[in-house]
């Protein structure tokens, strides 16, 4: 006797979506890993801001890693939004213009990671 398993269209769609999400997550993580972390600026307040970026980077990277292994349960995106808003005040620092631009790019990369977290939040 031969058993036949018929896969429903919804199962195929779910598998395709899961695969695309996995590939998207992998791509975002790889791009983020390749991104150079901004140097510490000359301005003391800006330097403290970059320290917070280090902590937040580790936090969100850890969350995305949890998604990959299937363990994420909850997260807080307000941390990134708050840090992003406070970055704006450092835009006027002439000595740290390059660092400011690198920080902006790093924030964009973290926003991509947060988007993956949002899409995969259980």
């Amino acid at each position: 006797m031969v058993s036949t398993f018929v896969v429903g269209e919804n199962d195929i769609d779910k598998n395709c979506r899961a695969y695309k999400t996995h590939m998207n997550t992998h791509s975002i993580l790889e791009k983020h890993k390749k991104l150079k972390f901004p140097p510490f600026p000359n301005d003391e307040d800006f330097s403290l801001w970059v320290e917070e970026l280090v902590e937040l980077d580790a936090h969100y990277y850890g969350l995305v890693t949890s998604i990959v292994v299937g363990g994420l349960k909850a997260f807080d995106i307000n941390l990134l939004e708050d840090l992003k808003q406070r970055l704006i005040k450092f835009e006027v620092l002439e000595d740290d213009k390059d660092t400011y631009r690198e920080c902006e790019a790093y924030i964009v990369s973290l926003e991509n990671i947060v988007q993956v977290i949002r899409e995969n939040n259980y």
Side-chain angles (χ1 to χ4, degrees), residues 5-109:
F5 178 73
V6 177
V7 177
E9 209 172 309
N10 286 339
D11 293 332
I12 293 171
D13 289 343
K14 285 179 188 175
N15 288 337
C16 286
R17 267 187 268 121
Y19 178 75
K20 286 178 185 176
T21 298
H22 175 74
M23 293 310 293
N24 187 42
T25 300
H26 180 71
S27 173
I28 287 170
L29 285 175
E30 286 303 309
K31 285 179 185 176
H32 188 73
K33 281 197 275 187
K34 291 177 182 176
L35 187 61
K36 180 184 166 221
F37 195 84
F40 278 86
N42 296 321
D43 182 81
E44 187 176 333
D45 288 337
F46 195 7
S47 188
L48 291 172
W49 183 93
V50 170
E51 284 181 27
E52 288 184 59
L53 181 62
V54 169
E55 293 172 7
L56 199 59
D57 179 48
H59 175 73
Y60 284 124
Y61 195 85
L63 289 175
V64 146
T65 302
S66 293
I67 285 172
V68 171
V69 297
L72 181 64
K73 300 299 178 208
F75 68 98
D76 182 2
I77 63 165
N78 294 330
L79 300 171
L80 180 60
E81 192 58 37
D82 177 57
L83 196 64
K84 180 181 174 180
Q85 291 301 315
R86 290 186 291 119
L87 173 63
I88 295 168
K89 75 178 181 180
F90 302 115
E91 186 175 21
V92 297
L93 299 174
E94 195 60 41
D95 290 345
D96 293 315
K97 281 280 188 206
D98 292 338
T99 300
Y100 179 83
R101 278 186 229 119
E102 288 182 41
C103 288
E104 281 183 315
Y106 212 84
I107 289 289
V108 168
S109 184

